[in-house]
Amino acid sequence: MAKLKITQTKSAIGGKKNQRDTLRSLGLRRIRHTVIKEDRPEIRGMVKTVTHLVAVEEVE
């Protein structure tokens, strides 16, 4: 199964609460922090919520 490499590129300060909560749910804690998650619809939905704060790459 494909995986997603998700990196936080911008700060969540000043953002909406649901966006801050989504970053925490993804496991992102600070700028340039990277996590690798399975490519599932739930993860894609969370990434869509914070698209402007993260960078996403597909990893095999």
Side-chain angles (χ1 to χ4, degrees):
M1 180 173 238
K3 294 190 180 269
L4 296 175
K5 180 179 176 183
I6 306 166
T7 304
Q8 185 175 347
T9 57
K10 292 187 179 180
S11 173
I13 295 174
K16 296 180 181 177
K17 182 171 178 6
N18 69 323
Q19 293 171 348
R20 292 192 308 266
D21 292 343
T22 301
L23 287 174
R24 287 293 172 146
S25 297
L26 286 170
L28 297 169
R29 301 189 177 276
R30 60 191 169 277
I31 296 174
R32 291 189 300 275
H33 188 210
T34 301
V35 294
I36 296 181
K37 300 284 185 178
E38 288 187 18
D39 188 4
R40 297 187 327 211
E42 300 87 13
I43 301 298
R44 288 277 183 171
M46 286 193 271
V47 168
K48 187 175 180 180
T49 302
V50 292
T51 304
H52 59 292
L53 301 175
V54 299
V56 181
E57 301 174 38
E58 288 191 18
V59 181
E60 302 231 1

